[in-house]
Amino acid sequence: MILRKTLPLIALCIVLSCKNEPPKEALEKVTMDEDYDPEANLSALRIELRPIGSPVANYVHAVRTGNLLFLAGKGPRQANGENVVGKLGLDLTVEEGYNAAREAGINQLSVLKEELGDLRKVKRIVNVKGMVNAIPEFAEQSKVINGYSDLMVAVFGEKGKHSRAAVGMGSLPGNMAVEVEMVVEVYE
């Protein structure tokens, strides 16, 4: 009984230890679902990705280590080039904050597309850190950052579900309403 269960594992170990490794394309076919098409989902949502431009300070948009891609914080720059600004609980409603977080998500997707060339290379959205510019009494940070999280799930499906922090900040650069960082696992 034990031999029958371990024999396939032994055969797999022999195949994997041979000198001729399978081509990378073969491995990707095994790991990537043929129906997985985040860019088609973007099109269905009528979302156009935007040019990301150069960083405004001494940082880069993304750093890759192994199969993880760490994305720098992005704010809610809209298609017209203007940021959504203001404090939640004072200048902006939860709904306006939700939409601002969604804009930050579109900007992060633009970075991903530029870095990877193809959004199908996203294996999983791993972690999101959402920062909300809010008055001290504001307690709806999670509802605001849902604008970002809901977009990731709409684009990547189950692969878009992630761990997350949604925290309040006393201020953000340029008085932006939100800023969001992300960690992504990629194929390759």
Side-chain angles (χ1 to χ4, degrees):
M1 180 84 162
I2 292 175
L3 185 57
R4 247 189 303 182
K5 288 182 178 180
T6 59
L7 195 54
L9 290 175
I10 294 169
L12 179 62
C13 290
I14 292 170
V15 169
L16 292 176
S17 67
C18 71
K19 291 180 184 176
N20 296 328
E21 293 182 22
K24 188 177 190 180
E25 298 82 26
L27 291 175
E28 287 182 356
K29 285 180 184 175
V30 171
T31 57
M32 290 179 72
D33 179 2
E34 289 179 15
D35 296 328
Y36 177 57
D37 193 350
E39 293 183 37
N41 294 340
L42 279 174
S43 182
L45 293 166
R46 297 184 181 150
I47 295 174
E48 290 185 27
L49 298 181
R50 306 164 181 162
I52 60 171
S54 299
V56 296
N58 192 13
Y59 68 92
V60 294
H61 291 295
V63 172
R64 183 170 178 170
T65 180
N67 66 340
L68 293 178
L69 194 59
F70 293 79
L71 278 67
K74 290 286 171 251
R77 183 176 43 84
Q78 303 166 93
N80 66 9
E82 295 180 14
N83 275 318
V84 177
V85 297
K87 283 195 174 294
L88 275 291
L90 178 65
D91 308 311
L92 301 169
T93 66
V94 170
E95 183 179 355
E96 289 169 320
Y98 178 98
N99 291 329
R102 187 175 190 276
E103 292 290 339
I106 293 169
N107 295 325
Q108 287 289 35
L109 292 171
S110 299
V111 170
L112 275 175
K113 173 70 175 174
E114 185 164 304
E115 288 291 320
L116 300 174
D118 184 344
L119 293 179
R120 288 178 295 169
K121 292 182 179 179
V122 172
K123 187 174 184 179
R124 176 83 193 230
I125 304 299
V126 176
N127 183 262
V128 166
K129 179 181 178 185
M131 297 161 273
V132 179
N133 184 4
I135 61 173
E137 299 79 22
F138 187 77
E140 305 293 331
Q141 291 86 350
S142 61
K143 289 181 181 177
V144 169
I145 300 303
N146 278 345
Y148 189 99
S149 296
D150 291 349
L151 178 62
M152 293 304 125
V153 173
V155 172
F156 296 106
E158 288 295 311
K159 298 172 189 234
K161 292 186 178 179
H162 50 267
S163 63
R164 182 183 88 178
V167 298
M169 298 289 179
S171 67
L172 287 172
N175 199 31
M176 293 186 301
V178 298
E179 183 175 1
V180 186
E181 297 177 352
M182 183 165 64
V183 179
V184 179
E185 182 182 13
V186 297
Y187 289 108
E188 287 188 60

